[in-house]
Amino acid sequence: MALDKPYLDVPGTIIFDTEQSRKGYWLNQFCMSLMQAENRQRFKADERAYLDGWAMSEEQKQAVLERDLNWCLRTGGNIYFLAKIGATDGKSFQQMAGSMTGMSEEAYRAMMVAGGRSAEGNRYVGEEGDAQDHRQPQAKPVGAAGISGEKD
Amino acid sequence: MARITASVYTSHVPAIGAAMDLGKTQEPYWQPLFAGYDFSRQWMKDHPPDVIFLVYNDHATAFSLDCIPTFAIGTAAEYLPADEGWGPRPVPKVVGHPELAAHIAHSVIQQDFDLTIVNKMDVDHGLTVPLSLLCGEQDPVHGAWPCPVIPFAVNVVQYPVPSGQRCFQLGRAIRRAIERFDQDINVHIWGTGGMSHQLQGARAGLINKAWDQRFMDLLIANPSGLAQMPHIDYVREAGSEGIELVMWLIARGAMSDVDAPADPPQVVHRFYHVPASNTAVGHLILENR
């Protein structure tokens, strides 16, 4: 009997379930390594060489090098883990979260100060809210957002 | 006999800790948030606990994908603030209460909850930010938190996470355990994390004030009904990380009215603010009658 995954139709969201966790094990373990100052220095000195020390897929490495967090999520990354990359880069959590919305940093911050993104139209895929794929001002398509990354 | 006199609920946001550590609490962005805790800091001084039982979630800090316990209780003598990627927070170490923690672990496991027992771990902002909010700034070397703290970590990072119902029942088991501890001490139970927030994907920044307020209403007046809410409702209505709110049901389940025909606890403080970074901040203090 198939597992119950009622969250697959939430737009702009990839739930970090056991399937995603399995896919993202090494990507997320790489992120954990950045909790040590020495590893942060090694990563900053030569990102590619540092990433090559981990059993990550080439796509996961590219997603990290490009700091494309949506891409990282689709390849099995989890935001609590990916936050270590942002911390290493000196970015706030708000800057990281904002980077996934296709909005400018200023626009995202202004949205939060104004009360945040509305739930209206953003509960199910196919509604008309601003987090829906067809309403997103992304620089490049993030087609897998909202379904569990099987396009990867 | 030990007793639980109060429960405290608060969101925990890394940026709140950073605002305190960098002296930004009176900036216009942060001042309204910290003003919401003025009452709470005085209340802590007026109602000092002997021990805080602090329910929080580890944010991929002590627990990586190598090991993901659903419920983990800290039985160590002390815990150091973790390096989450920008160096450890400049706050005092957290002193534990091994004797009570081991007693609770023993009792709760015998009540059919499978706790992971942790004797060594660092604690992240999930635990230190609530302490900072309620206790104010502390010198990392010469300062100290006001009492021992028992860390209780809940997995809300990897799905499936424990249900609200299981968390509520666990809170009841924790209360029974504490009441069987043979020392006359006063325990606070804190449920931390949560309120609406989504930290990932194109939907990041979701805030649902009406839903958050309703959650607090039900938490006070009808927690057993609230405990029935399925995970998907939290995700749809309050964002994917809004699921952290299940932890509040552990603290609420430990209040004495749950197992006795009694009035709901007294609400001595209630606060709500948007935003702190990406999240809504909710805060409640409930005292047993």
Side-chain angles (χ1 to χ4, degrees), chain A residues 9 11 13-16 18 21 25 29 32 35 40 70 80 84 94 97 100 108 112 115 117 122-124, chain B residues 59-60 64-66 83 85 158-159 198-207 236-237 241 244 275 277-278:
Chain A
D9 65 352
T13 303
I14 297 174
I15 295 297
F16 187 71
T18 49
S21 177
Y25 178 78
Q29 294 302 87
M32 293 293 290
M35 291 170 65
R40 293 196 286 270
N70 284 322
Y80 293 117
K84 304 342 178 188
Q94 187 171 74
M100 291 180 275
Y108 182 82
M112 296 315 299
R117 184 186 304 283
N122 288 324
R123 294 181 175 90
Y124 294 88
Chain B
H59 301 75
S64 71
L65 295 185
D66 282 342
D83 181 346
Q158 177 171 311
Y159 276 59
Q198 168 131 0
L199 305 176
Q200 50 131 348
R203 198 172 179 245
L206 190 96
I207 300 287
R236 258 189 236 296
E237 298 293 337
E241 282 64 48
E244 289 183 356
S277 186
N278 299 283

Side-chain angles (χ1 to χ4, degrees), chain A residues 48-74:
Chain A
R48 179 75 218 191
Y50 189 82
L51 288 168
D52 282 342
W54 295 86
M56 296 160 58
S57 70
E58 179 59 28
E59 184 181 6
Q60 288 171 330
K61 293 177 189 175
Q62 286 300 325
V64 171
L65 290 169
E66 292 189 25
R67 301 295 193 273
D68 184 334
L69 297 183
N70 284 322
W71 197 8
C72 289
L73 289 169
R74 293 198 301 277

Side-chain angles (χ1 to χ4, degrees), chain B residues 24-235:
Chain B
K24 294 181 176 178
T25 59
Q26 294 311 306
E27 289 184 359
Y29 181 89
W30 288 110
Q31 196 278 333
L33 182 139
F34 287 101
Y37 289 82
D38 285 344
F39 173 92
S40 315
R41 290 179 183 182
Q42 188 59 47
W43 177 84
M44 277 293 286
K45 289 178 182 148
D46 296 341
H47 302 78
D50 296 308
V51 181
I52 296 168
F53 188 93
L54 203 158
V55 181
Y56 75 110
N57 66 293
D58 179 80
H59 301 75
T61 302
F63 307 119
S64 71
L65 295 185
D66 282 342
C67 176
I68 308 162
T70 298
F71 299 117
I73 185 167
T75 50
E78 64 179 49
Y79 311 87
L80 297 179
D83 181 346
E84 298 179 58
W86 62 88
R89 283 194 65 209
V91 293
K93 70 181 180 186
V94 175
V95 173
H97 197 305
E99 189 183 0
L100 177 58
H103 166 91
I104 293 170
H106 185 129
S107 172
V108 168
I109 290 169
Q110 286 188 328
Q111 295 178 69
D112 293 337
F113 287 90
D114 306 318
L115 307 188
T116 298
I117 293 169
V118 181
N119 285 305
K120 185 178 189 329
M121 67 173 171
D122 292 344
V123 289
D124 70 19
H125 73 271
L127 184 128
T128 63
V129 164
L131 287 174
S132 291
L133 276 169
L134 273 291
C135 307
E137 281 85 353
Q138 307 289 331
D139 184 276
V141 179
H142 304 293
W145 302 115
C147 67
V149 176
I150 298 174
F152 191 89
V154 179
N155 167 46
V156 289
V157 172
Q158 177 171 311
Y159 276 59
V161 308
S163 68
Q165 174 68 4
R166 184 159 168 79
C167 289
F168 187 64
Q169 300 296 356
L170 173 60
R172 297 173 64 201
I174 290 167
R175 182 177 60 79
R176 288 192 286 266
I178 289 171
E179 289 180 349
R180 289 172 191 161
F181 187 63
D182 201 19
Q183 286 181 21
D184 186 23
I185 57 172
N186 166 24
V187 179
H188 285 181
I189 184 165
W190 293 14
T192 74
M195 284 286 129
S196 60
H197 61 307
Q198 168 131 0
L199 305 176
Q200 50 131 348
R203 198 172 179 245
L206 190 96
I207 300 287
N208 190 340
K209 292 180 187 175
W211 191 90
D212 287 342
Q213 292 288 358
R214 178 78 175 143
F215 185 93
M216 287 200 276
D217 291 345
L218 289 171
L219 188 80
I220 296 163
N222 183 14
S224 62
L226 181 62
Q228 305 294 323
M229 185 189 293
H231 288 148
I232 187 62
D233 290 13
Y234 292 75
V235 174

